[in-house]
Amino acid sequence: MTPEDARYPDMIRGHGNNRHVASPEAIRIPSTTEQVVEIVREAVRDGKRVAVRSGGHCFANLVFNDESEIIVDLRLMDHVGFDEEREAFVVEPGATLLQIYELLHIGWGVTLPGGGCYATGAGGHFSGGGYGILSRPHGIVSDHIHAVEVVTVDEEGEVRAVVATRDPDDPHHDLAWAVAGGGGGSFGIVTRFWMRSRGAEGGPGDLLPKAPSTVLCTFAAWSWQDITQEGFASFMAAYADWSKEHGSLDSPYLSLGHWLFLQHAETGMFNVIAQLDAAVPDARRLMDDFIAFVGDALGARPVVNVTEERPFLKATAQTMTAGETLTSPSMRTSHKSTFMRDAFPERQVEVIYRHLTKTVNPNEHTFLVINSVRGRIGALADDDTAAGHRDALWLVYFESYWPDAADDKRNVEWLRALYQELYADTGGVPVPNGVTDGCYVNYPDTDLGDPAFNASGVTFHELYHKDNYPRLQRVKAAWDPRNFFRHPQSVELPAAHG
């Protein structure tokens, strides 16, 4: 597709953030690995800058920018099935999360512990880690990557498709290691993932996590009018203790996936969305006790508290399509993230409370999301995959969504002001230390590379990848020595390679 094509305007912007629009010479839409190889070969020959899209959910301008000359759009590569030869499930990068969950569940009774937005594509999500409501009992998506097929470019400009597995004896093992959490767009174009849980044996229904039959789904909400600053501080401390107590594999709450949505007080509430496998012993009592704990710690009674038992796939689809921020194709957004290793210090709790209750609200979809993690995520070491935030207590998202370009400035500045004040003691970013542990690569934030917003001396590469970054650079040098696959936050070549 070129600019003259009627479809072109639909193809030059993503689903997740309409602030960023590209103007490429062409969008190429392959349906096979062989076509991807040919597209890359032509781009190498012609010296064209390539960017890659799977679901189009990138929150920053890593794909849709002025430097992208050819966008390789992988949406036609969306097959999900079982590969008898490799004894693993195959997922192509253009498959979207809800599509993947539906096909795996209906076909084989299995699932993946991935994210909660229906339209996110496998390509970027899988290669950046992939956290979701089933991550506490089953880890993150990249933990289940058994092998990958990647289109690469070598020193001489030769293009080929390489299959790399997580088997340590595979000479291509490091490429599979890097793709499992190292972020998208740095090493090549992933054209297939093969998914199988570590140590799994047996038939297809035994090779990935079993999907629950039914789940308890809870939505509870508290009015900010009933929450004092002291009550909020009390809750944040108590919730940190709860998360530590129930972060182990033997906790009865291992299967409780939940998010805390802290909306701005002007338009929202303090919300909890939770899901628990209904087959867990005493599941209803556990859920009720958790909601009661939240309310007691806040010192307030919920204004809404609804728990329903639903079939797994119905519950999953409803959660993934609940609200304009997930379903609207025209939203403009700003996002930031942090991994927390311990509770927010008192000063930071005061900053959060003040920004959510005292400042002018930029829009109705402004919030913090606290995602409780641990559980099986911590069963692997930081260097077992490229996703190196294994002992985090929480993964926190800072988000703002709005429809009009005229509101860009106030929304972006509101989120920046909160983040900068929150991490003022560490140069404006959550550096890895005893309390914070860097940022999530699937929530890309170009402010992290701007000295105006990051005065910490810690690069965005270290915030995303921590001690795994030097190894990622070595993989980059081995598999993309020409730095052909690059974007504003891609892994860089080691200094010796220029």
Side-chain angles (χ1 to χ4, degrees):
M1 298 181 190
T2 60
E4 295 75 28
D5 194 299
R7 297 167 291 177
Y8 184 86
D10 273 323
M11 308 297 288
I12 58 174
R13 64 200 77 208
H15 179 90
N17 191 352
N18 269 271
R19 288 171 57 208
H20 306 302
V21 181
S23 53
E25 296 176 11
I27 300 101
R28 304 292 296 274
I29 313 175
S31 57
T32 67
T33 298
E34 292 73 22
Q35 290 176 357
V36 174
V37 169
E38 185 57 32
I39 291 166
V40 173
R41 186 172 288 137
E42 291 177 9
V44 171
R45 180 197 65 202
D46 298 337
K48 300 297 184 182
R49 183 74 172 267
V50 164
V52 187
R53 168 187 174 139
S54 56
H57 234 271
C58 187
F59 290 138
N61 63 337
L62 308 190
V63 175
F64 300 99
N65 57 58
D66 292 338
E67 295 184 355
S68 298
E69 296 173 294
I70 305 293
I71 293 178
V72 184
D73 191 310
L74 301 174
R75 279 180 284 184
L76 294 185
M77 300 182 67
D78 62 352
H79 174 65
V80 178
F82 188 74
D83 186 328
E84 297 282 354
E85 181 179 351
R86 291 194 176 273
E87 298 182 302
F89 290 90
V90 61
V91 178
E92 290 186 334
T96 54
L97 293 184
L98 184 54
Q99 172 191 359
I100 294 166
Y101 301 156
E102 288 178 338
L103 292 174
L104 290 179
H105 181 62
I106 291 169
W108 298 273
V110 298
T111 191
L112 285 168
C117 181
Y118 81 99
T120 299
H125 188 67
F126 286 21
S127 57
Y131 289 76
I133 205 162
L134 295 178
S135 287
R136 281 168 56 83
H138 299 301
I140 58 178
V141 171
S142 61
D143 298 346
H144 300 270
I145 295 176
H146 172 69
V148 290
E149 180 181 69
V150 188
V151 174
T152 64
V153 179
D154 67 15
E155 188 79 65
E156 285 72 41
E158 291 298 316
V159 181
R160 61 180 176 134
V162 176
V163 173
T165 75
R166 68 174 175 228
D167 182 350
D169 295 328
D170 181 351
H172 302 156
H173 165 76
D174 266 6
L175 181 59
W177 174 88
V179 169
S186 287
F187 311 103
I189 299 179
V190 178
T191 49
R192 275 186 287 188
F193 297 92
W194 285 273
M195 311 300 291
R196 189 171 76 203
S197 300
R198 293 163 185 261
E201 297 179 349
D206 301 312
L207 299 180
L208 283 176
K210 295 281 189 184
S213 176
T214 62
V215 293
L216 294 181
C217 300
T218 292
F219 175 77
W222 290 260
S223 171
W224 278 109
Q225 292 182 346
D226 299 330
I227 302 172
T228 65
Q229 184 170 343
E230 292 74 19
F232 181 70
S234 171
F235 168 77
M236 294 300 285
Y239 182 54
D241 291 338
W242 186 96
S243 299
K244 293 173 186 176
E245 180 182 354
H246 294 291
S248 63
L249 294 176
D250 59 359
S251 168
Y253 281 106
L254 177 65
S255 294
L256 180 71
H258 57 286
W259 295 292
L260 276 59
F261 282 82
L262 280 59
Q263 295 177 275
H264 195 284
E266 281 188 13
T267 56
M269 294 188 178
F270 184 115
N271 301 330
V272 172
I273 295 175
Q275 176 181 295
L276 179 65
D277 186 342
V280 169
D282 270 344
R284 182 60 191 248
R285 179 187 61 79
L286 287 169
M287 184 69 86
D288 289 345
D289 287 351
F290 176 66
I291 298 302
F293 154 74
V294 175
D296 290 346
L298 286 171
R301 295 179 60 85
V303 295
V304 179
N305 184 10
V306 178
T307 297
E308 297 177 347
E309 184 172 348
R310 299 174 186 155
F312 165 73
L313 201 55
K314 298 295 185 186
T316 300
Q318 180 167 348
T319 300
M320 298 180 78
T321 58
E324 189 176 11
T325 59
L326 293 176
T327 59
S328 173
S330 59
M331 282 293 195
R332 307 170 73 82
T333 66
S334 182
H335 299 265
K336 297 182 181 294
S337 68
T338 181
F339 288 96
M340 298 294 297
R341 300 183 68 184
D342 208 337
F344 283 104
E346 289 184 14
R347 185 193 69 80
Q348 293 185 348
V349 172
E350 186 277 327
V351 169
I352 294 171
Y353 182 84
R354 177 161 40 81
H355 276 266
L356 290 176
T357 61
K358 307 299 183 185
T359 61
V360 175
N361 184 24
N363 74 77
E364 63 180 311
H365 300 304
T366 298
F367 43 77
L368 272 67
V369 184
I370 300 179
N371 182 13
S372 184
V373 287
R374 290 213 168 165
R376 196 162 297 279
I377 297 168
L380 296 179
D382 276 7
D383 60 356
D384 282 342
T385 72
H389 300 271
R390 296 290 173 173
D391 65 346
L393 191 67
W394 303 322
L395 172 53
V396 183
Y397 308 129
F398 305 78
E399 307 189 64
S400 189
Y401 296 78
W402 65 97
D404 299 322
D407 295 328
D408 283 3
K409 187 174 186 291
R410 67 172 180 165
N411 279 277
V412 171
E413 289 185 352
W414 186 92
L415 211 61
R416 277 176 175 163
L418 166 58
Y419 204 70
Q420 288 285 290
E421 187 174 356
L422 198 62
Y423 301 113
D425 297 338
T426 53
V429 297
V431 302
N433 57 32
V435 176
T436 53
D437 201 32
C439 304
Y440 182 29
V441 70
N442 274 359
Y443 267 56
D445 174 10
T446 52
D447 282 357
L448 298 176
D450 187 335
F453 306 109
N454 179 2
S456 69
V458 179
T459 68
F460 65 83
H461 293 298
E462 295 170 284
L463 293 170
Y464 290 142
H465 306 299
K466 301 199 304 177
D467 292 341
N468 285 333
Y469 187 59
R471 183 175 175 185
L472 287 168
Q473 288 188 285
R474 293 193 294 272
V475 176
K476 176 76 168 178
W479 290 101
D480 186 27
R482 298 161 62 106
N483 198 26
F484 180 79
F485 299 102
R486 63 191 188 276
H487 56 69
Q489 291 195 330
S490 56
V491 173
E492 296 177 341
L493 289 168
H497 288 78

